[in-house]
Amino acid sequence: MLPPMLSPRPISDPAADPTRLSPSEPWRRWKQAGLVLLAAVWIALGLVGHDPWKFDDAVNFDLAWQMNVHGDYVVPRLAGDVYLARPPLVPAIAAVSQRLLSPPLDAYDAARVAAGLALAVTLLFTSLAAVELAGPGLRWLPMLILIGTVGLWDRGHVLSGELGAMTGVAIALYGLALALRRPLGGGAWLGLGLATAFLSQGPLTPAWIVVATLLLPACGRAWRRPAWALSLAVAIVVGVALVLPWIVALGLRGHGLLAAWVAGQRAGNFIALHGGADGADPLYYLRNILWFGWPAVPLIAWTLWTRGRGFNGGLATPAVQLPGLVSIVVFANLLVIPDPKLIDGLPLLVPLALVGMLEVDTLKRGYSAALDWFGILSFGLLGLLVWAAWIDARLFGMPRTVAALFRDAESGYRPSFHFGAVLTAVLLSLAWVALVRPARRSNRRAILNWAVGMTLMWCLYSTIWLPYLDSRRSYRHLAESLAAHLPSTGCVASRNLGDAQRALFQYFGKFTTLREETHPDAACAALLVQWGPEPGVPPPGWHAEWGGSRSGDTTETFVLYVKDRT
């Protein structure tokens, strides 16, 4: 028998029963309203007020913009070219929000509202899955864990296929959990989740869910009932019914579009095969998973330690098996995925939060207090530093040391003053101070304080510092300056330009580039080349007409070449 200090409180203890709501019954509704407000603030901050930034945000914005320009929601286009790297669900939703909200919002801000919708749906269905797996008393914990997750901090607020895939995983997990109680309804939600993930990112994320679903019957009798097979059949019917229309429509367009998309779904894109162009880096996620999945990862360690010793039902419960198995399948594939990037792991965060929530109430008080004070001290110091750096830059200009910390090659920047942004930052800073003041400490309070601290950091990032970040990451002024030097006639070829740059140059500069890599015979009058820190030698027969880079950025240099007159 374990000593009392080492034993988690039994599940029969009302104070530890996860199915019970907060003991402060009269204040429960106010607390729940406060949690909804916290989620709304975290979702809304950073969605508007800045230009599209490179990579996923810029690419998906341009796809949405092109959908509205061409009136085509079946075949995505990027900077004028057909783009079949991903199915069109995320940009299509962004295109709809763009039509509805622009004006008054700028087109890119209106499109980015779709990312907020995806976050809201993800939090909702993660909470619903928690209720099905562990009871209503834990409905808020996975939501707070996700809000406080470091890896979701900025990646969750940009348009990306991975964000849509994460939403699909949340819906699918709810469907799988509900299927234990309501086979038909659970199967329908599972099918919707699979379709959402497929139409957002492609077959990879649905494959994760399908593999985990097929392995679940090996975990226990709960997954081997006849009703479980009925749920899977319903899921297949619903999923196929939702996915098939896009596939059929793509095939009916002809021009080999469907064949081109199918050819792009080869196994080497999802698993690094021997001799492939892009090798796997198994250590990449092993190095980053602790901070990327914080605070869920240490909470999962405690859950496994507690349940592994047989407490609270042990490991052989659906609440552990379902999200745990999905986490294992997803993480195993991420270890061998070609060219791994952290954004690939967004769908992993939902099952991690569901496993991490299970034993928060039995966490030893010393551990929860350590997490609580670590968060309070960390966010308090970071908040003071962020405010001090902003005030100092506002009064005297950004010093060279701070600019170097931001990897900015320019010093002396003075942040602009926007009353609404500053007022929002002040109010949320004061709200953080009020919430983390010394009060009744509990394990759940530690999770709440961490989520509020992460929201504070995101607030400062997306309010007082947003104009500075936008000035360094936006391509607006660069594209407008370049456009003024273009020849009056003829096309513009491009070399070494990424998808995001081509999209942003088209939107802000009002010109379309033809990839030299795919249009080698195009007789263009101008050539736009992306170099590294230093421009290279002009191509024979061309001369440099213009050169530039983003403010404070020494990693990219763009040069516009024009053909020599003969």
Side-chain angles (χ1 to χ4, degrees), residues 162-530:
E162 288 78 8
L163 181 61
M166 182 176 70
T167 303
V169 168
I171 298 173
L173 283 171
Y174 169 65
L176 287 167
L178 182 64
L180 294 173
R181 184 170 58 88
R182 294 173 51 194
L184 292 178
W189 285 114
L190 174 59
L192 177 61
L194 290 170
T196 301
F198 183 94
L199 293 173
S200 297
Q201 189 190 30
L204 179 61
T205 302
W208 291 339
I209 300 298
V210 169
V211 170
T213 302
L214 295 178
L215 292 177
L216 278 172
C219 296
R221 288 179 296 177
W223 313 102
R224 292 196 291 264
R225 298 176 298 119
W228 180 247
L230 176 62
S231 298
L232 299 186
V234 172
I236 293 172
V237 171
V238 172
V240 170
L242 293 174
V243 167
L244 197 58
W246 176 71
I247 296 178
V248 171
L250 189 64
L252 292 176
R253 293 297 177 89
H255 307 290
L257 293 175
L258 180 58
W261 177 79
V262 172
Q265 311 308 307
R266 58 185 185 274
N269 289 347
F270 314 124
I271 301 175
L273 302 175
H274 180 69
D278 298 313
D281 182 6
L283 296 180
Y284 181 80
Y285 268 95
L286 291 175
R287 289 193 306 264
N288 291 291
I289 188 60
L290 179 59
W291 71 262
F292 181 74
W294 185 279
V297 172
L299 294 175
I300 289 172
W302 176 254
T303 296
L304 297 178
W305 170 253
T306 303
R307 295 293 182 100
R309 295 180 296 159
F311 290 101
N312 301 338
L315 296 174
T317 62
V320 177
Q321 293 168 343
L322 174 56
L325 187 56
V326 173
S327 299
I328 292 171
V329 171
V330 175
F331 191 69
N333 193 179
L334 291 176
L335 293 179
V336 295
I337 198 169
D339 189 24
K341 299 178 293 294
L342 286 174
I343 197 170
D344 297 331
L346 286 188
L348 175 65
L349 298 178
V350 173
L352 290 184
L354 289 172
V355 179
M357 74 171 184
L358 293 174
E359 293 299 329
V360 167
D361 287 325
T362 64
L363 192 66
K364 287 200 288 188
R365 192 57 53 88
Y367 294 162
S368 65
L371 175 63
D372 198 8
W373 283 109
F374 173 69
I376 291 173
L377 293 175
S378 298
F379 293 126
L381 290 174
L382 282 174
L384 287 174
L385 286 174
V386 170
W387 269 112
W390 184 84
I391 294 172
D392 181 65
R394 172 72 183 165
L395 296 177
F396 308 108
M398 182 178 292
R400 187 174 299 276
T401 53
V402 177
L405 183 64
F406 291 155
R407 298 181 180 179
D408 191 343
E410 296 180 359
S411 58
Y413 176 86
R414 291 178 180 268
S416 56
F417 183 91
H418 298 279
F419 179 76
V422 174
L423 180 62
T424 301
V426 169
L427 291 177
L428 286 181
S429 298
L430 294 176
W432 177 82
V433 172
L435 283 171
V436 301
R437 72 189 190 283
R440 182 182 65 86
R441 297 294 173 191
S442 69
N443 295 354
R444 297 191 184 194
R445 183 62 180 259
I447 305 300
L448 172 62
N449 284 347
W450 183 269
V452 173
M454 286 296 297
T455 303
L456 171 64
M457 291 298 101
W458 179 243
C459 164
L460 299 180
Y461 177 95
S462 56
T463 52
I464 57 176
W465 279 105
L466 189 60
Y468 167 76
L469 296 165
D470 196 35
S471 71
R472 268 49 185 166
R473 301 184 67 177
S474 171
Y475 283 77
R476 177 192 296 269
H477 300 299
L478 185 70
E480 292 173 347
S481 174
L482 190 160
H485 292 81
L486 290 174
S488 57
T489 59
C491 58
V492 181
S494 69
R495 181 185 299 173
N496 302 330
L497 253 65
D499 291 333
Q501 286 96 334
R502 293 184 64 239
L504 294 173
F505 281 133
Q506 184 189 45
Y507 181 74
F508 289 120
K510 311 302 181 187
F511 66 91
T512 301
T513 58
L514 297 179
R515 285 187 184 276
E516 190 181 60
E517 297 84 355
T518 57
H519 298 81
D521 298 327
C524 293
L527 172 65
L528 178 61
V529 180
Q530 177 181 337

Side-chain angles (χ1 to χ4, degrees), residues 55 75 116 267 445:
F55 300 130
V75 183
R445 183 62 180 259

